Amino acid sequence: MPKVFRNLCPRNCFSTCSILSYVENGKLVRVSGDPAHGFTRGNLCAKGYAYVERVYSPERILHPLRQFPRGSGNWCPITWEEALETIARKILELKGRYHSFRPVGFCKQYGNMGLLHYAANALFDGLGSVTVTEGNSCWSAGLDAYLYSMGSMEKPDPEDMVNSKVIVLWGVNPAWTAVHQMHFIDRARTRGAQVVVIDPVFTATAAQADLYLRPKAGSDGALALGMAKYIVENAWHDHEFLAHHVEGYEAFFAYLTSISYDWVEQETALPVEAIKEVTELYALNSPAAIWTGLGLQRHTNGGQNVRTILTLAALTGNLGRPGAGLYNPSMTPWELFSFYTRDHVISRHPVEHRRININLLGAELKKTTDPPVKMLWLAQRDLFQDAHTGSLRGALEDLELIVQVDQFLNRSSRYADIFLPTTTQFEEWDVLPSYWHHWIGINEPAISPLGESKSDLQIAWDLSRKLNELSPGICSFPTAGKEEEWVAGEFNQEVYSRLEIEDYRELLQGPRKLKWPQVAWEEMKFKTPSEKFEISSLTAASEGLPLLPVYSEPASAPAAYPFRLMTPHSQSGNNSQFLNLPWLTWGTGEPCLRINPLTAKRLGLSNGARVRVYNQQGEIVFPVKLSATIREDTLVCFQGWPGSAEHELNDLLNGSPTDMGSKGSGRPSIAIHDTFVNLCPA
Amino acid sequence: MTKKYGMVIDLKRCIGCHTCEIACKLENDVPMGMYWNRILTEGGKYMDAPKGEYPNVQRGYLPLACQHCENAPCVKVCPVAATYKSEDGRVLINYERCIGCRYCMAACPYNVRVFNWQEPVRIPDFDYGSADTPKRKRGIVEKCSFCEQRVNKGMQPFCVEVCPARARHFGDLNDPSSEVAQLVRTRKGEQLLEDRGTKPQVYYVR
Ligand code: SF4
Ligand code: SF4
Ligand code: SF4
């Protein structure tokens, strides 16, 4: 009989599934969803069921490796001792040379979101001030729109969506990226709810919608303004709600009189009838919910567009009630945890690191000179998901040591000198909340670490030990410990009482739901200076942004580059992860460029024709695939394609920043969907 | 009355997520290069291919595995009775008996049977899935068994359990009160290639 363990899927995904892991003779032979988890309800996604392949993939790296020379692909096994000694000596040598730890760079993102995976952050805190990357490429602009409007990123329990009469999925494709939410959407539909999808791409979710709108990418703010205008004209707004809970609506109403439906039609490329239809649906069927997607805000006007969408909920009073609300990922349940690992050092000795923008890493590395960054610790990250990959290559080549900590080699590995193999969730203790649902599970080791892989926490202890051996007292991060005790450290009385347990080990019997409001903003006390929903935001104005959610012109295609290149999530991957697994290669075929059939006809291109896609930043050669899912001015290539030594998809990104992002995550993110290109037969 | 196991797949609900395809591969220890259960895209061979002409397009999927035909041609052609109709209406294979002649593959109009030409290659390189999933050696034919190892124990086939859209239903078609029988009745279940007279026990509703 197999033994069954509980794990959590730590990927950057809405679902944060609880997994039942079946182990026989020390091997993970099967996984299944955990029926005790009320949101994922016993299901994983396709990627989740492929974990058995991922853990034992022949491509997984199980021993420390050294690549010499860099970029050669000549990776040779080395011992942990040699690897740690090389790294520690480099850190100490840099400190000697520059009298500072700032030449040591640290760059980590969300490959594994577990709380114990913050060990590396704390390890570097233990040295003192180093150089860390700040910002993220994901959700920053939209997050700030929520912060300006409501003061904090709070959202309803996604299970509450069953109570909605109308669900507006605005630039979000849960059928691919949040499959478990489809169940709650379907339940609402069985109870009569209407589902609206607004997306420049006709997605799998759009195919299920009762009403689908395909606006021009980046014009969402104009659509929302048209909707707001129609609401006010018909007096469908909630007077009572506005008077008590909303700041600045009068000025906004005045602004609405200055826009015309003709303008909205022209801006969005949507017929005014469709705009009126969606408005009527949303405004007259209460409660109605809006879920703002992440792609939606990856525009130079993305934050302002999201802000405008959010006002629709304020106008119609669709806040603070079951079935209503505004949905976006939220870290609020995370904040309940102790961050015992992440703050291990800084809770005692605050550290001021030098911060550089993760979204412009190449340029930022080049311009930090005093002292320059000479070494990079790269964890859970594929740098070629960034923009400006050209300058990135040069900057990486200039570094004296690059250490990569991961499970698989990826595009960044070409530049790495040392690769340290880390464990999967099945081989370690961990805990992580979800940014979407309110369930908390626990992650226990189901199998022993494969090969010589070590958990991120173990690696941090080991490197601290090595550093302290060579230079006693140099790093204040612990040099040994017990993983499970660190899991315990992440819990506290508040978390326990909200889970109604006394000990984290009770979660081994099954995940539990946090006692956490099902509805956000029920008290109607927003966390803005006025304690109201701020349509007019002095905070935004004081930070150089418009006072009101007025329209901010989207980036438009320059004459030389008439096509918009969009790079949405692929179905079988999670950013750069999973795409290397043969189990998951359905229908993806060769990387290709999706092109509207009418455009293809105009250009004389047929399925499979190879084209050169180019702009000022770079070029890439692809076969085209005709797809009627997109507009004539749009091209789509799903993200995560490994590329080749010469060309990466992201070579085409110019890295224009989004309009917002600094407030919530330190830096604006990249307007990834405002990439313009031209193409010609290759 | 004897049981007649069958499945109903709700094409209106199916979001083409391929979860059932991968979960089936895991549960049934299906080797590399093979799937017992595939998700076809109605618009073309790519997973996101729409049907129709721009801009009036739709997307649809067809999850396809053994149809457990009532009048199964594969059963008729098997010279050694390795493929058989079980008493409760499932089409199963006795893998010990199969001689690998592949007559059944030629006879099946649904192209859902797969054959191991070589020593099966697996990643990981051991048998995965449930402990009691029947083992198959090289040179025999295999296919969807409605997860016999699970259904024998009163559980649902794994693809039914894992479908996040709850698009798959399993049960006794002979029991008029069963969910599957009701769905076939109320939502006019359709069978694939009905004209072949194979009488599939897998129904699709739209
Ligand atoms: S990727 Fe998301 S949906 Fe899939 S198993 Fe992990 S958490 Fe669940
Ligand atoms: S679908 Fe094919 S393999 Fe399955 S019972 Fe029918 S004929 Fe046999
Ligand atoms: S798991 Fe369900 S929704 Fe997904 S492809 Fe299979 S039948 Fe369709």
Side-chain angles (χ1 to χ4, degrees):
Chain A
M1 274 303 276
K3 274 180 120 170
V4 185
F5 297 86
R6 280 206 150 81
N7 291 99
L8 297 171
C9 178
R11 306 279 85 89
N12 185 351
C13 171
F14 288 88
S15 296
T16 315
C17 293
S18 176
I19 302 174
L20 295 180
S21 308
Y22 296 73
V23 175
E24 258 176 43
N25 305 321
K27 293 200 158 128
L28 179 72
V29 293
R30 182 175 186 270
V31 291
S32 78
D34 185 347
H37 194 284
F39 179 76
T40 57
R41 305 173 68 260
N43 296 154
L44 307 172
C45 71
K47 303 179 283 282
Y49 291 104
Y51 266 127
V52 172
E53 185 190 21
R54 190 173 188 274
V55 168
Y56 296 101
S57 163
E59 287 177 22
R60 188 171 155 199
I61 307 295
L62 298 174
H63 304 279
L65 298 176
R66 174 158 211 161
Q67 176 176 235
F68 188 81
R70 214 185 248 179
S72 64
N74 177 31
W75 288 96
C76 300
I78 52 170
T79 62
W80 272 103
E81 197 53 28
E82 281 172 84
L84 294 172
E85 175 130 1
T86 311
I87 298 162
R89 284 196 185 280
K90 187 74 204 177
I91 292 173
L92 296 174
E93 186 263 319
L94 289 172
K95 163 81 170 158
R97 196 183 337 158
Y98 293 100
H99 309 288
S100 160
F101 282 116
R102 291 193 164 183
V104 178
F106 172 57
C107 177
K108 174 183 156 235
Q109 282 248 314
Y110 301 114
N112 183 318
M113 300 191 65
L115 296 183
L116 267 58
H117 287 260
Y118 284 98
N121 301 59
L123 167 78
F124 288 104
D125 292 338
L127 285 174
S129 178
V130 300
T131 303
V132 300
T133 55
E134 174 177 63
N136 81 54
S137 39
C138 182
W139 70 324
S140 314
L143 171 64
D144 280 13
Y146 276 80
L147 296 181
Y148 291 124
S149 308
M150 289 173 277
S152 98
M153 183 53 255
E154 292 171 31
K155 60 146 189 57
D157 178 346
E159 295 168 43
D160 184 58
M161 223 180 250
V162 299
N163 296 316
S164 304
K165 292 228 175 81
V166 170
I167 300 170
V168 183
L169 303 173
W170 203 316
V172 67
N173 182 15
W176 278 22
T177 58
V179 285
H180 299 91
Q181 191 63 33
M182 293 308 284
H183 170 72
F184 298 96
I185 295 173
D186 284 339
R187 269 179 53 196
R189 293 182 85 174
T190 343
R191 300 166 62 169
Q194 305 262 341
V195 176
V196 178
V197 172
I198 302 175
D199 202 308
V201 181
F202 181 66
T203 61
T205 312
Q208 299 252 326
D210 299 296
L211 179 62
Y212 166 59
L213 304 187
R214 186 192 337 244
K216 266 198 248 172
S219 74
D220 309 87
L223 171 56
L225 286 172
M227 291 173 70
K229 185 179 175 71
Y230 199 57
I231 288 172
V232 175
E233 272 183 10
N234 287 286
W236 289 337
H237 50 284
D238 183 334
H239 285 286
E240 191 80 346
F241 188 89
L242 286 171
H244 288 100
H245 309 300
V246 180
E247 180 70 21
Y249 63 93
E250 302 91 340
F252 183 61
F253 282 14
Y255 170 67
L256 289 176
T257 59
S258 74
I259 63 164
S260 73
Y261 295 116
D262 284 349
W263 172 81
V264 177
E265 234 180 357
Q266 202 184 333
E267 205 56 37
T268 60
L270 292 171
V272 69
E273 296 73 28
I275 298 165
K276 291 182 174 172
E277 188 181 344
V278 68
T279 311
E280 189 167 338
L281 208 54
Y282 178 74
L284 296 185
N285 294 282
S286 172
I290 299 178
W291 177 358
T292 52
L294 296 170
L296 163 69
Q297 40 104 54
R298 289 176 190 149
H299 291 284
T300 54
N301 60 346
Q304 190 70 356
N305 283 347
V306 173
R307 221 179 131 196
T308 318
I309 293 168
L310 305 185
T311 61
L312 298 173
L315 292 185
T316 51
N318 268 306
L319 284 163
R321 291 185 288 123
L326 293 163
Y327 286 84
N328 195 59
S330 161
M331 302 305 265
T332 32
W334 291 65
E335 286 153 18
L336 298 172
F337 282 79
S338 299
F339 285 97
Y340 176 84
T341 311
R342 186 192 68 187
D343 298 347
H344 206 86
V345 171
I346 55 170
S347 57
R348 296 170 191 113
H349 320 282
V351 186
E352 263 309 309
H353 293 300
R354 176 168 67 181
R355 298 180 183 277
I356 59 174
N357 186 348
I358 197 165
N359 294 323
L360 299 169
L361 189 59
E364 294 267 292
L365 285 173
K366 285 224 151 126
K367 80 174 196 231
T368 36
T369 48
D370 191 24
V373 175
K374 288 289 177 191
M375 168 190 158
L376 188 66
W377 181 280
L378 182 65
Q380 312 179 16
R381 175 118 179 93
D382 176 5
L383 295 171
F384 289 87
Q385 299 182 110
D386 293 334
H388 286 302
T389 35
S391 69
L392 183 62
R393 288 191 183 89
L396 294 177
E397 275 160 14
D398 286 348
L399 299 181
E400 294 172 12
L401 178 68
I402 299 180
V403 180
Q404 186 178 21
V405 190
D406 219 314
Q407 288 149 358
F408 295 91
L409 297 175
N410 63 25
R411 294 173 290 191
S412 311
S413 312
R414 257 178 248 148
Y415 300 89
D417 303 289
I418 292 181
F419 186 98
L420 303 179
T422 183
T423 42
T424 66
Q425 72 266 30
F426 301 100
E427 301 147 68
E428 61 191 22
W429 277 101
D430 208 352
V431 59
L432 74 149
S434 156
Y435 51 65
W436 189 242
H437 60 69
H438 297 171
W439 289 79
I440 302 293
I442 194 98
N443 186 82
E444 61 181 325
I447 52 174
S448 314
L450 257 63
E452 293 182 279
S453 62
K454 295 182 185 203
S455 70
D456 280 1
L457 180 55
Q458 185 68 50
I459 294 172
W461 288 330
D462 288 353
L463 184 55
S464 182
R465 181 180 38 79
K466 183 46 87 185
L467 283 159
N468 283 304
E469 261 170 42
L470 296 172
S471 177
I474 195 83
C475 179
S476 62
F477 188 74
T479 55
K482 258 192 88 193
E483 262 183 25
E484 191 182 342
E485 284 170 11
W486 286 53
V487 165
E490 298 294 352
F491 287 83
N492 53 47
Q493 224 28 67
E494 163 98 32
V495 175
Y496 283 150
S497 69
R498 284 182 188 268
L499 292 174
E500 298 181 310
I501 55 173
E502 271 154 27
D503 190 275
Y504 67 94
R505 290 194 70 94
E506 291 176 49
L507 295 174
L508 293 170
Q509 306 311 313
R512 298 182 62 90
K513 194 172 184 180
L514 285 166
K515 296 272 159 250
W516 191 262
Q518 173 158 333
V519 165
W521 308 115
E522 200 160 12
E523 318 279 307
M524 289 298 159
K525 243 188 152 143
F526 294 95
K527 294 187 179 151
T528 53
S530 64
E531 296 191 350
K532 292 182 173 182
F533 182 106
E534 298 195 345
I535 291 185
S536 157
S537 166
L538 288 170
T539 317
S542 73
E543 290 170 15
L545 294 160
L547 179 68
L548 290 171
V550 296
Y551 194 52
S552 154
E553 291 289 326
S556 57
Y561 307 111
F563 297 102
R564 183 188 290 275
L565 174 66
M566 302 189 79
T567 49
H569 288 276
S570 63
Q571 189 190 32
S572 53
N574 182 304
N575 297 325
S576 63
Q577 293 175 312
F578 292 106
L579 293 160
N580 58 340
L581 302 182
W583 282 26
L584 296 174
T585 50
W586 69 75
T588 36
E590 183 186 13
C592 60
L593 184 75
R594 276 144 174 85
I595 183 170
N596 179 290
L598 302 177
T599 314
K601 195 167 170 201
R602 181 161 63 76
L603 300 176
L605 296 167
S606 51
N607 255 332
R610 295 183 77 77
V611 293
R612 186 180 307 281
V613 184
Y614 61 93
N615 62 15
Q616 308 96 311
Q617 275 79 237
E619 62 165 38
I620 188 164
V621 175
F622 277 119
V624 295
K625 166 81 197 148
L626 274 47
S627 175
T629 56
I630 49 175
R631 289 166 43 89
E632 286 168 69
D633 61 358
T634 304
L635 304 167
V636 162
C637 177
F638 295 113
Q639 68 161 185
W641 174 48
S644 65
E646 300 82 44
H647 303 295
E648 298 289 351
L649 179 59
N650 289 31
D651 291 352
L652 298 168
L653 301 190
N654 70 16
S656 320
T658 51
D659 52 346
M660 297 181 191
S662 305
K663 196 174 183 61
S665 51
R667 304 286 173 140
S669 55
I670 314 173
I672 213 155
H673 294 317
D674 290 336
T675 298
F676 298 100
V677 296
N678 204 346
L679 67 153
C680 61
Chain B
M1 189 153 56
T2 53
K3 279 200 166 107
K4 185 165 115 187
Y5 278 125
M7 193 177 279
V8 177
I9 303 178
D10 186 342
L11 297 181
K12 208 169 137 198
R13 277 282 163 86
C14 174
I15 50 176
C17 67
H18 294 246
T19 304
C20 54
E21 175 182 287
I22 304 302
C24 162
K25 191 175 179 74
L26 172 69
E27 168 66 23
N28 289 300
D29 196 23
V30 181
M32 298 307 285
M34 299 180 182
Y35 293 94
W36 284 5
N37 173 26
R38 290 168 296 148
I39 311 304
L40 307 184
T41 307
E42 289 183 349
K45 74 177 170 129
Y46 283 72
M47 80 291 190
D48 64 329
K51 39 181 189 175
E53 295 271 311
Y54 180 81
N56 301 313
V57 286
Q58 254 312 323
R59 284 167 82 135
Y61 314 92
L62 187 73
L64 185 68
C66 174
Q67 305 290 304
H68 294 269
C69 308
E70 191 172 331
N71 185 18
C74 58
V75 172
K76 288 191 202 143
V77 299
C78 180
V80 293
T83 290
Y84 64 100
K85 190 85 179 157
S86 73
E87 284 205 340
D88 48 20
R90 296 175 286 173
V91 172
L92 300 175
I93 303 175
N94 180 336
Y95 297 114
E96 295 304 316
R97 272 202 184 174
C98 174
I99 54 169
C101 68
R102 306 193 316 281
Y103 288 177
C104 55
M105 294 182 76
C108 170
Y110 303 98
N111 188 22
V112 291
R113 292 178 159 249
V114 285
F115 183 71
N116 252 323
W117 287 96
Q118 301 157 353
E119 225 27 79
V121 179
R122 289 189 172 80
I123 307 176
D125 62 358
F126 51 78
D127 286 310
Y128 37 84
S130 285
D132 43 5
T133 299
K135 304 281 174 276
R136 288 95 53 194
K137 52 185 197 293
R138 161 189 173 167
I140 59 154
V141 171
E142 44 185 83
K143 66 162 191 77
C144 155
S145 66
F146 275 161
C147 285
E148 56 183 304
Q149 67 282 4
R150 292 171 57 88
V151 171
N152 290 346
K153 287 186 285 196
M155 297 155 88
Q156 301 261 301
F158 205 39
C159 59
V160 175
E161 183 181 302
V162 304
C163 173
R166 305 294 189 275
R168 308 180 76 107
H169 307 269
F170 179 77
D172 180 8
L173 292 166
N174 278 347
D175 170 3
S177 66
S178 72
E179 194 188 20
V180 281
Q182 288 182 22
L183 281 166
V184 169
R185 223 173 31 241
T186 58
R187 293 192 46 201
K188 303 204 176 35
E190 292 168 21
Q191 293 157 308
L192 296 181
L193 307 180
E194 220 183 315
D195 56 327
R196 300 290 178 98
T198 49
K199 299 197 179 163
Q201 285 165 221
V202 175
Y203 288 82
Y204 295 86
V205 296
R206 287 173 193 273

